[in-house]
């Protein structure tokens, strides 16, 4: 699928978590959030999108800065052709981590899907300026240009 999760156990920023099982804002142990996130991924993999959305929303309610959950909500919205919702979720993820290339690429893709080709082009060019070897961004930019032609 588009923008699948990384290997390892993601923490709220999408990086690997150590063995210490840190507490987050005194709400729930990190492991519980990771299990909830993993269940969301499993639901998504099995096309149980409502259950997946519920799982990711529960993660965000417990830890509002869990970036990967916003990314997954955006990915589900894309799959359901709820493009405005996808943009909203990706925007929130970028608020948490403005330089995240994976989220920027997903947002650009959502812009293309909503017909906002100029915004998509800007995002793709920004991504390619930072990393000219980003093949997905290059392919999507070419597709974007085809749509404009």
């Amino acid at each position: 699928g588009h923008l699948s999760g990384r290997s390892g156990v993601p923490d709220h920023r999408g990086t690997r978590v150590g063995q210490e099982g840190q507490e987050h804002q005194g709400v729930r142990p990190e492991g519980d959030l990771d299990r909830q996130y993993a269940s969301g991924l499993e639901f998504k993999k099995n096309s149980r999108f409502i259950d997946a959305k519920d799982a990711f929303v529960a993660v965000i309610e417990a830890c509002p800065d869990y970036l990967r959950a916003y990314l997954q909500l955006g990915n589900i919205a894309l799959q359901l052709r709820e493009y405005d919702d996808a943009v909203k979720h990706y925007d929130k993820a970028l608020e948490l981590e403005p330089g995240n290339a994976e989220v920027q690429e997903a947002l650009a893709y959502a812009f293309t899907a909503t017909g906002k080709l100029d915004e998509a082009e800007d995002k793709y060019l920004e991504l390619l300026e930072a990393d000219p070897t980003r093949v997905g961004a290059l392919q999507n930019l070419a597709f974007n240009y085809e749509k404009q032609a």
Side-chain angles (χ1 to χ4, degrees):
H2 183 65
L3 300 170
S4 59
R6 298 180 193 157
S7 63
V9 179
D11 73 4
H12 70 285
R13 291 281 184 202
T15 55
R16 292 172 191 221
V17 175
Q19 301 295 348
E20 60 274 16
Q22 308 140 335
E23 296 285 328
H24 256 296
Q25 301 172 356
V27 180
R28 298 168 71 178
E30 183 71 39
D32 287 351
L33 288 174
D34 291 335
R35 278 190 289 281
Q36 185 75 32
Y37 179 83
S39 75
L41 289 177
E42 192 63 28
F43 286 136
K44 182 179 164 224
K45 188 173 92 179
N46 293 309
S47 299
R48 293 176 56 187
F49 298 121
I50 302 303
D51 292 330
K53 278 169 119 171
D54 289 346
F56 296 129
V57 167
V59 169
I60 289 166
E61 285 173 353
C63 180
D65 63 349
Y66 202 109
L67 181 139
R68 307 276 324 152
Y70 290 104
L71 180 61
Q72 292 302 328
L73 283 173
N75 293 345
I76 290 168
L78 274 184
Q79 288 184 292
L80 297 176
R81 296 183 176 4
E82 297 168 352
Y83 301 122
D84 291 334
D85 284 347
V87 168
K88 181 182 73 172
H89 294 305
Y90 295 142
D91 276 340
K92 181 60 183 172
L94 280 177
E95 281 178 32
L96 295 172
E97 194 176 304
N100 186 302
E102 185 179 5
V103 177
Q104 287 178 321
E105 191 167 341
L107 179 59
Y109 186 86
F111 281 147
T112 299
T114 58
K116 296 177 181 172
L117 302 181
D118 290 341
E119 289 97 324
E121 178 183 3
D122 291 345
K123 279 284 170 218
Y124 287 131
L125 290 173
E126 190 179 316
L127 278 163
L128 289 167
E129 191 174 311
D131 179 5
T133 65
R134 202 162 176 92
V135 176
L138 193 57
Q139 290 171 332
N140 288 332
L141 181 61
F143 175 75
N144 193 11
Y145 286 146
E146 280 180 25
K147 284 184 86 161
Q148 290 179 31

